[in-house]
Amino acid sequence: MAESRKTYRMRLRMRVRQRLKMDENHRRLLIEGREVTIKSPDVTDSSFETTWLVLNARGFQTAAEAKAFGERLKLACEVASISSRLGINTGADSFSTFVGESVVDIARQHGMELRGDIHGLDVFKDDEAVRIMSSSASSVSTTSNPTAFFARLSSTFKAVGNLNDGTSKLTYLFNLALMNRDPIAQIVLACSAVEALGQNEKWTESQKQIIAEAAMQVKTIDIGTEEERVEVSDAIQKGVFRLSLRQGVFRLLDRLGLTDLKKLWDELYTLRSTLVHGSTTERGEGHYKLASRVLSLCGVIVLKELGSQIPGVGDDMEMYQPE
């Protein structure tokens, strides 16, 4: 009976790009009436620097309730990271430290319940006997102040429920761009995040009518056999001529009121393509400069899209200044 009354705990473990300089060994945020504790694994000092953060929330009546809160918190962290240009990796909810059954059995004999360390979201029954086999390592030396991130996390949590599926998926992708230290990877990931947004754009009603008319006209052309003409007509109607990646991005920029960035997008995307397709011999410093410009441009676009669905997020443009 006592076991059935136990509540559930949500634990979210994530990595940040730069070491966060903390003035206290943990932070407490009140998010929709629930206390969320933020700290670094295995840190007891009053101040420290860390590249790993663990967020805990307790008192959930069901595992489903804890998971729903955790998924929303993860998304809010990703949005807050983008708006503060921090860069986080919220993980894939998989083990970074695994505990074998034999070790678990021995721990239980000593009154402990061992769990492997999850990079991402973990939900389990809350019990004082639970111990996490944590593991973290980093050689990063630069530091960052997390104050802006924590403030944005609190204000963003409630609103992330308004994000559509396409936008919520790109937050993880763009954070990978911010996290990555390889400039080529940054360029590819950042551009991919914007292109993914552009793929949500559709033909206008007038353009749909033009496509339908073109499909009908093909059937009347005196070229090829009737069967060949029908195949081409069907291909047109079934979407062979969809918006290109470039058209999708341009439609996105128009919708967001960023039409003046089209020329810069074309310029940087051309450089991106020459780099990715191996048609440039430039190395080293040039890659880092291009990555910085691409991250700034794509950051403005991503933030603007987030701001169109979450009021206030788009006001953080000072973090990204396209060159």
Side-chain angles (χ1 to χ4, degrees):
M1 292 296 292
E3 180 68 19
S4 65
R5 290 196 296 269
K6 288 186 181 298
T7 57
Y8 287 83
R9 171 180 165 191
M10 175 234 79
R11 182 178 187 267
L12 175 61
R13 177 172 172 261
M14 59 190 185
R15 186 164 61 91
V16 295
R17 183 176 187 273
Q18 294 183 328
R19 286 183 178 276
L20 298 181
K21 188 174 181 60
M22 308 277 282
D23 296 327
E24 50 197 354
N25 61 5
H26 67 275
R27 293 280 185 95
R28 287 190 175 92
L29 298 180
L30 192 63
I31 297 180
E32 290 203 339
R34 190 176 296 277
E35 184 178 89
V36 176
T37 303
I38 306 174
K39 62 180 182 179
S40 179
D42 306 321
V43 171
T44 57
D45 297 337
S46 59
S47 64
F48 61 92
E49 296 177 4
T50 183
T51 55
W52 287 93
L53 289 177
V54 174
L55 287 70
N56 278 286
R58 291 181 151 93
F60 298 97
Q61 296 305 305
T62 66
E65 182 187 3
K67 183 177 180 181
F69 183 91
E71 292 289 356
R72 197 167 168 188
L73 183 62
K74 178 190 286 190
L75 182 55
C77 286
E78 291 171 352
V79 173
S81 167
I82 292 172
S83 63
S84 56
R85 198 164 181 168
L86 176 63
I88 63 171
N89 184 343
T90 55
D93 306 339
S94 57
F95 288 105
S96 56
T97 301
F98 182 77
V99 183
E101 283 300 320
S102 59
V103 178
V104 171
D105 290 340
I106 294 173
R108 282 175 179 160
Q109 295 173 18
H110 291 81
M112 293 184 293
E113 192 67 33
L114 286 185
R115 294 185 65 83
D117 208 1
I118 294 286
H119 183 186
L121 178 63
D122 191 15
V123 170
F124 49 92
K125 281 195 173 181
D126 206 357
D127 193 304
E128 291 183 358
V130 172
R131 299 291 186 275
I132 307 294
M133 295 290 289
S134 62
S135 174
S136 61
S138 174
S139 60
V140 182
S141 59
T142 56
T143 60
S144 177
N145 191 320
T147 302
F149 170 71
F150 291 147
R152 287 175 174 127
L153 172 58
S154 297
S155 63
T156 300
F157 180 84
K158 185 175 183 179
V160 293
N162 297 328
L163 291 179
N164 59 46
D165 289 341
T167 305
S168 62
K169 290 175 182 177
L170 79 87
T171 59
Y172 178 69
L173 184 60
F174 192 72
N175 267 291
L176 289 183
L178 292 174
M179 281 288 298
N180 211 295
R181 295 190 172 277
D182 181 88
I184 299 176
Q186 286 184 323
I187 292 166
V188 172
L189 289 167
C191 287
S192 295
V194 173
E195 287 178 326
L197 275 179
Q199 291 309 289
N200 294 328
E201 301 299 317
K202 306 296 182 183
W203 293 114
T204 65
E205 289 303 315
S206 296
Q207 288 172 322
K208 290 178 182 178
Q209 292 178 20
I210 293 172
I211 292 171
E213 182 65 25
M216 292 298 297
Q217 290 293 328
V218 165
K219 294 181 179 180
T220 66
I221 297 175
D222 190 20
I223 302 175
T225 66
E226 179 180 357
E227 182 179 353
E228 288 173 326
R229 292 192 293 271
V230 169
E231 286 179 349
V232 173
S233 177
D234 288 345
I236 293 174
Q237 291 179 311
K238 291 177 181 178
V240 168
F241 297 103
R242 293 174 294 181
L243 282 171
S244 68
L245 291 174
R246 181 174 180 270
Q247 287 173 315
V249 171
F250 275 23
R251 189 71 60 82
L252 170 69
L253 293 177
D254 286 337
R255 177 170 61 79
L256 295 177
L258 299 174
T259 304
D260 59 329
L261 293 181
K262 287 181 179 179
K263 183 178 179 181
L264 181 57
W265 173 265
D266 266 351
E267 175 193 341
L268 296 184
Y269 197 83
T270 298
L271 294 173
R272 172 259 183 211
S273 297
T274 58
L275 181 63
V276 170
H277 299 302
S279 53
T280 179
T281 58
E282 185 177 9
R283 298 186 183 185
E285 186 178 354
H287 292 171
Y288 288 97
K289 288 181 178 179
L290 178 58
S292 177
R293 297 182 69 197
V294 169
L295 278 175
S296 293
L297 172 62
C298 293
V300 166
I301 299 171
V302 169
L303 264 187
K304 195 74 172 179
E305 174 65 18
L306 289 172
S308 71
Q309 299 175 50
I310 303 178
V313 171
D315 298 337
D316 299 311
M317 294 298 180
E318 70 276 2
M319 303 303 300
Y320 302 88
Q321 292 295 330
E323 302 173 15

